């Protein structure tokens, strides 16, 4: 039955739209809207806004939204449609003219309605650093919402960057690797997001979370893969789209990751950037790298990048020594001797110093262990002097007597030299 009234045309258009026969639906919406039917105006505005026949036409969307609102200002759907289409027009104009601050407010209006383009644009503006009107927390929330609403590599690339930099969320390189891997599994990744994921993989490699080799597909590099969740191996696009370079990457082992983190932290420490270095040392130590454990202990001992904590210093040195890290042996003996972060325990000090002497792979470590071993008798004597006043008194008298005897000997030698005319020797 042919639709004759504007209302019937609008209802028929709704049916056609549900059947995804968009061209026929659009024509009927247009006819009904031109005949003054408000719901058809509203539907036509949405067609223009969503671009059901191709590209969006936001100006036409805003026009028909205003027309529908004028017919029934109290209708909440008409109110919302007019608000969103107006915001979309403002955004399009502001972005075209590179007035990024002006684009933020209407973009937020659209994002709160769940508009995917707005959910993408806001984190993109934040990451591009073209406006200060978007907080890290907002950028992360919108990127996450976009990723949850659709399986888009664009949102995955944004989340990878935000997790990597700790923007709006705690820094999480593993989450960054997960989302970057998801992004590059899409062969339709945009050039902008290709460059973003490329930089992310380079940064992750620097932190030891993956290993990469650069090459060009023209030179026979492996084709882009869809990485498996348990072993995300694949290729990430490089920055020069013309030659289609690729980055082959594989997840790093804990050992590789720890070594890279420790090296990065060491470089930062050499620049006295201790607050940045300490978390990397700690991560590497927690991954089991004994060298990093000693570096963490030094940070705790000296208050480098973290509040001074001698007990924590002792704990990390002991952990490294118990993992058979030889450089920690003489360090642990020293801590036991000097009561640093623990009670004095000369038996334990002797045990670790003796192991250091026997197992040291070089003269430097052996000499340090020998020195720690030689100190033990002196420390024992000092402890006895401190603990036994009578013994200390007798020891002092003995030293004074020895000094007197030695002085008398030296005086006799001087007089003999004078008698023999050796004035210089006597002096």
């Amino acid at each position: 039955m042919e639709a004759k009234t504007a209302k019937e045309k609008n209802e028929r258009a709704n049916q056609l739209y549900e059947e995804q026969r968009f061209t026929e639906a659009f024509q009927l919406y247009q006819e009904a809207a031109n005949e003054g039917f408000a719901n058809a105006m509203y539907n036509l505005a949405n067609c223009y806004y969503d671009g059901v026949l191709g590209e969006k036409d936001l100006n036409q969307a805003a026009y028909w939204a205003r027309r529908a609102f004028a017919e029934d200002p109290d209708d909440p759907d008409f109110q919302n449609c007019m608000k969103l289409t107006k915001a979309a027009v403002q955004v399009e104009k502001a972005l075209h003219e590179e007035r990024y601050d002006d684009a933020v407010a209407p973009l937020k209006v659209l994002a709160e309605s769940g508009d995917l383009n707005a959910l993408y644009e806001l984190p993109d503006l934040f990451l591009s650093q073209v406006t200060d009107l978007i907080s890290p927390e907002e950028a992360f929330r919108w990127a996450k919402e976009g990723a949850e609403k659709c399986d888009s590599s664009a949102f995955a690339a944004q989340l990878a960057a935000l997790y990597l930099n700790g923007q709006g969320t705690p820094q999480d390189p593993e989450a960054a690797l997960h989302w970057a891997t998801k992004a590059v599994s899409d062969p339709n990744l945009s050039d902008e997001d290709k460059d973003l994921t490329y930089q992310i993989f380079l940064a992750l490699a620097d932190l030891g979370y993956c290993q990469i080799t650069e090459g060009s597909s023209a030179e026979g590099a492996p084709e882009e893969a869809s990485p498996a969740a348990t072993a995300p191996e694949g290729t990430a696009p490089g920055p020069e789209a013309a030659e289609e370079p690729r980055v082959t990457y594989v997840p790093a082992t804990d050992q590789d990751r720890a070594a890279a983190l420790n090296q990065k932290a060491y470089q930062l420490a050499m620049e006295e950037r201790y607050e940045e270095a300490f978390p990397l040392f700690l991560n590497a130590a927690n991954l089991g790298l004994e060298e990093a454990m000693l570096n963490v202990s030094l940070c705790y001992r000296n208050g480098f990048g973290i509040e001074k904590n001698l007990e924590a210093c002792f704990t990390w040195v002991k952990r490294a020594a118990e993992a058979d890290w030889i450089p920690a042996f003489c360090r642990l003996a020293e801590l036991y001797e000097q009561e640093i972060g623990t009670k004095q325990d000369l038996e334990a000090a002797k045990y670790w110093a003796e192991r250091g002497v026997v197992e040291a792979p070089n003269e430097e470590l052996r000499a340090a262990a020998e020195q720690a071993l030689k100190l033990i008798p002196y420390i024992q004597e000092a402890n006895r002097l401190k603990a036994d006043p009578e013994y200390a008194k007798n020891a002092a008298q003995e030293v004074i007597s020895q000094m007197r005897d030695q002085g008398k000997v030296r005086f006799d030698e001087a007089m003999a030299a004078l008698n023999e005319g050796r004035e210089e020797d006597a002096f």
Side-chain angles (χ1 to χ4, degrees):
M1 182 177 176
E2 184 180 355
K4 295 182 178 179
T5 67
K7 182 179 179 181
E8 290 173 348
K9 290 177 181 178
N10 184 67
E11 290 174 351
R12 177 56 181 156
N14 287 339
Q15 294 172 357
L16 293 168
Y17 195 96
E18 288 295 323
E19 297 169 7
Q20 298 188 8
R21 296 162 64 181
F22 299 124
T23 301
E24 297 170 74
F26 182 84
Q27 291 174 348
L28 286 176
Y29 282 142
Q30 200 165 39
E31 290 179 16
N34 285 325
E35 292 173 17
F37 192 63
N39 282 337
M41 297 175 189
Y42 166 75
N43 290 329
L44 187 59
N46 284 325
C47 286
Y48 278 119
Y49 184 84
D50 294 332
V52 296
L53 297 185
E55 291 187 10
K56 294 184 176 187
D57 190 332
L58 297 179
N59 288 319
Q60 281 294 314
Y63 169 77
W64 286 109
R66 287 196 302 272
R67 288 280 304 272
F69 176 77
E71 293 291 329
D72 188 354
D74 296 326
D75 189 299
D77 289 336
F78 296 172
Q79 293 172 1
N80 191 55
C81 184
M82 189 175 75
K83 180 179 74 172
L84 296 181
T85 54
K86 179 181 178 182
V89 170
Q90 292 172 337
V91 167
E92 185 179 57
K93 191 171 189 300
L95 292 180
H96 178 72
E97 297 173 359
E98 297 183 357
R99 293 183 291 105
Y100 301 113
D101 285 351
D102 293 339
V104 172
L107 273 172
K108 288 182 178 181
V109 171
L110 295 170
E112 293 302 336
S113 75
D115 183 276
L116 288 174
N117 287 330
L119 290 172
Y120 173 80
E121 285 292 347
L122 285 162
D124 187 61
L125 292 177
F126 171 80
L127 290 169
S128 300
Q129 299 181 333
V130 294
T131 179
D132 296 325
L133 301 181
I134 303 169
S135 72
E137 292 72 22
E138 288 175 317
F140 178 77
R141 175 167 64 88
W142 286 317
K144 191 169 185 291
E145 184 178 337
E148 290 170 351
K149 283 181 176 291
C150 71
D151 189 24
S152 170
S153 58
F155 291 114
Q158 290 178 339
L159 281 174
L162 294 168
Y163 272 119
L164 175 66
N165 299 324
Q167 294 170 310
T169 186
Q171 189 177 44
D172 189 342
E174 289 186 356
L177 179 62
H178 166 77
W179 287 104
T181 299
K182 183 176 177 63
V184 299
S185 68
D186 183 359
N188 298 315
L189 191 67
S190 71
D191 288 342
E192 180 182 357
D193 290 326
K194 283 179 183 178
D195 183 59
L196 178 60
T197 53
Y198 176 78
Q199 298 302 326
I200 290 168
F201 277 115
L202 290 180
L204 288 170
D206 192 38
L207 292 174
Y209 281 84
C210 65
Q211 298 173 332
I212 61 175
T213 56
E214 297 186 53
S216 171
S217 58
E219 299 171 357
E223 295 183 1
E224 195 159 70
S226 297
T230 54
E233 302 181 8
T235 54
E240 299 177 10
E243 297 181 3
E244 297 186 3
R246 292 287 184 268
V247 174
T248 303
Y249 66 93
V250 294
T253 64
D254 283 351
Q255 184 178 7
D256 291 333
R257 187 183 308 171
L261 287 169
N262 188 65
Q263 179 61 29
K264 180 71 173 178
Y266 181 79
Q267 293 169 355
L268 292 169
M270 289 298 97
E271 298 170 9
E272 297 186 5
R273 295 162 61 183
Y274 300 118
E275 290 185 0
E276 297 173 65
F278 177 76
L280 302 184
F281 279 139
L282 187 60
N283 286 345
N286 282 324
L287 287 170
L289 185 67
E290 293 86 355
E291 182 181 352
M293 295 177 192
L294 284 191
N295 289 330
V296 169
S297 76
L298 285 173
C299 289
Y300 275 121
R301 183 169 182 173
N302 298 290
F304 291 155
I306 190 70
E307 187 176 350
K308 192 172 181 179
N309 186 330
L310 296 181
E311 289 76 15
C313 165
F314 171 79
T315 297
W316 281 105
V317 174
K318 188 169 184 284
R319 184 171 166 182
E322 289 176 344
D324 291 331
W325 182 247
I326 296 173
F329 293 173
C330 61
R331 189 83 59 83
L332 185 57
E334 175 199 355
L335 299 183
Y336 274 123
E337 289 175 348
Q338 299 182 24
E339 297 184 86
I340 297 176
T342 186
K343 292 181 179 180
Q344 190 176 72
D345 187 339
L346 296 182
E347 286 299 317
K350 182 181 178 183
Y351 169 79
W352 288 107
E354 287 177 342
R355 282 196 62 182
V357 172
V358 173
E359 300 178 38
N362 56 56
E363 284 303 319
E364 183 179 357
L365 287 176
R366 185 174 294 106
E370 288 173 347
Q371 180 64 26
L373 202 56
K374 288 177 182 178
L375 283 175
I376 292 175
Y378 293 100
I379 296 171
Q380 289 172 329
E381 180 69 10
N383 289 344
R384 187 175 178 187
L385 290 169
K386 206 185 308 181
D388 188 342
E390 187 63 29
Y391 176 80
K393 181 180 177 181
N394 293 335
Q397 289 175 345
E398 184 178 345
V399 169
I400 292 169
S401 176
Q402 289 175 354
M403 290 177 65
R404 284 174 179 166
D405 291 344
Q406 187 178 17
K408 186 175 184 307
V409 170
R410 299 299 290 168
F411 178 79
D412 291 344
E413 289 176 351
M415 292 302 296
L418 281 173
N419 291 334
E420 296 173 6
R422 293 182 288 110
E423 290 83 357
E424 290 184 6
D425 290 345
F427 180 76

